[in-house]
Structures are given as C-alpha cells and as structure tokens.
Amino acid sequence: MPTISVTINKCDILAEVSKMSDYVGSKALDRDDSARDRILATDNALKDLNRFWQDAIMKVNERFKLMITSSVDTDGQYILTLEVSKSFDIGKSPEVKAGITSYLINDIIGQWFAIVNKAEAAEYAALSADLLAGVERTLYSRKKPSVPTD
C-alpha cells in the first residue's frame, strides 16, 4: 500500500491563529473597546495554547487511526504518515496537507474563542469539523481507472 506523509510546522499554525485572532479582535472594536486585547492570541498566550495544539493533533489521529502508520508530534513539527489505497490519487497529497493545516488553525481558534470570544467559538468549531471531514473525503477518493496499455 502506498503512503503519503504530511509535515506541518507548529509555529506556522500558531502564527495563523495569532493573525486570525488579531483580525477578529480588531473587527470587534466597534462593539467592544477591549475586544482586540481580549481576543488577540499574543505570544504569551500562544505558549499556553500548546494544550489546544495537542488536542487538535489528537483529533486528527483519532479520525485517521485506521490509516496512520506513523504520527510524530515534536516540539516544532507534526509529521503524519498515512497508508492510502492503491487507487488514491497521490497528486491530491497537497490537498490533504492544506486541509489538515486549515483544520488545525480553525480548531485551535475555536478552542481559544471558547475562552475569550464565546459568541464565535461554535462557528470555528463547526468549520474545523467540516474541514476534517473534507480531508477524510479526499483520502477516500479514488482516481479514475485507466485503460490497460498491454
């Protein structure tokens, strides 16, 4: 069985979480003067988000446990190796990586917002669930059969 490997940098994910929380907090300033300061995931807060990172990784591992041949979460990277069907289109590997990356960002934001911005937390939780389901659909998709050339 063929395998695909996905490597995701934790710093990249947390930087996106910080940018998104800054954007959402800035947009909420018209309703609440302290929104940006409350919602922004600062560098100090990002250190505390390690638990959210681990929770998100655990959900990915649980969802794809039947396909996983290796899952390594080091301090700086998450490396996931999945065994896929022989008829899986290996060209879709970048879609799998992009989907898992988006899932991790949105899941961590959802967990963070459950603490600091409850009004939008459910939206990000739902989005992250949809993203993970999309990755699963991609992994179970098959390439079109080709006509044998012999």
Side-chain angles (χ1 to χ4, degrees):
M1 298 287 265
T3 60
I4 61 170
S5 185
V6 174
T7 301
I8 298 173
N9 290 317
K10 182 179 179 179
C11 290
D12 295 343
I13 300 296
L14 295 181
E16 286 299 316
V17 169
S18 181
K19 280 194 274 186
M20 181 62 82
S21 65
D22 185 25
Y23 176 78
V24 171
S26 295
K27 288 298 209 178
L29 283 174
D30 59 341
R31 298 184 314 264
D32 178 0
D33 291 340
S34 66
R36 183 173 183 270
D37 293 334
R38 182 176 38 82
I39 294 173
L40 176 63
T42 63
D43 289 340
N44 287 336
L46 290 176
K47 291 176 187 172
D48 296 330
L49 294 181
N50 191 49
R51 179 176 55 94
F52 297 155
W53 165 262
Q54 291 171 346
D55 288 348
I57 295 299
M58 182 183 67
K59 292 172 195 170
V60 171
N61 289 344
E62 178 62 27
R63 183 72 170 248
F64 303 121
K65 66 183 172 189
L66 298 176
M67 300 174 130
I68 292 177
T69 59
S70 172
S71 173
V72 179
D73 177 19
T74 63
D75 285 337
Q77 288 187 326
Y78 173 54
I79 304 167
L80 180 66
T81 306
L82 301 166
E83 188 174 69
V84 294
S85 166
K86 290 178 185 175
S87 60
F88 175 74
D89 183 359
I90 296 295
K92 291 189 176 193
S93 297
E95 286 179 42
V96 172
K97 179 179 179 175
I100 292 174
T101 298
S102 293
Y103 163 76
L104 291 171
I105 292 166
N106 284 285
D107 188 71
I108 293 169
I109 289 171
Q111 292 181 68
W112 176 247
F113 281 10
I115 297 169
V116 299
N117 186 19
K118 291 187 187 334
E120 295 184 50
E123 180 181 335
Y124 285 94
L127 176 59
S128 67
D130 289 345
L131 288 165
L132 200 55
V135 171
E136 186 173 37
R137 281 190 301 276
T138 301
L139 286 168
Y140 282 110
S141 67
R142 304 290 180 247
K143 62 183 171 187
K144 293 181 182 178
S146 59
V147 177
T149 57
D150 340 312

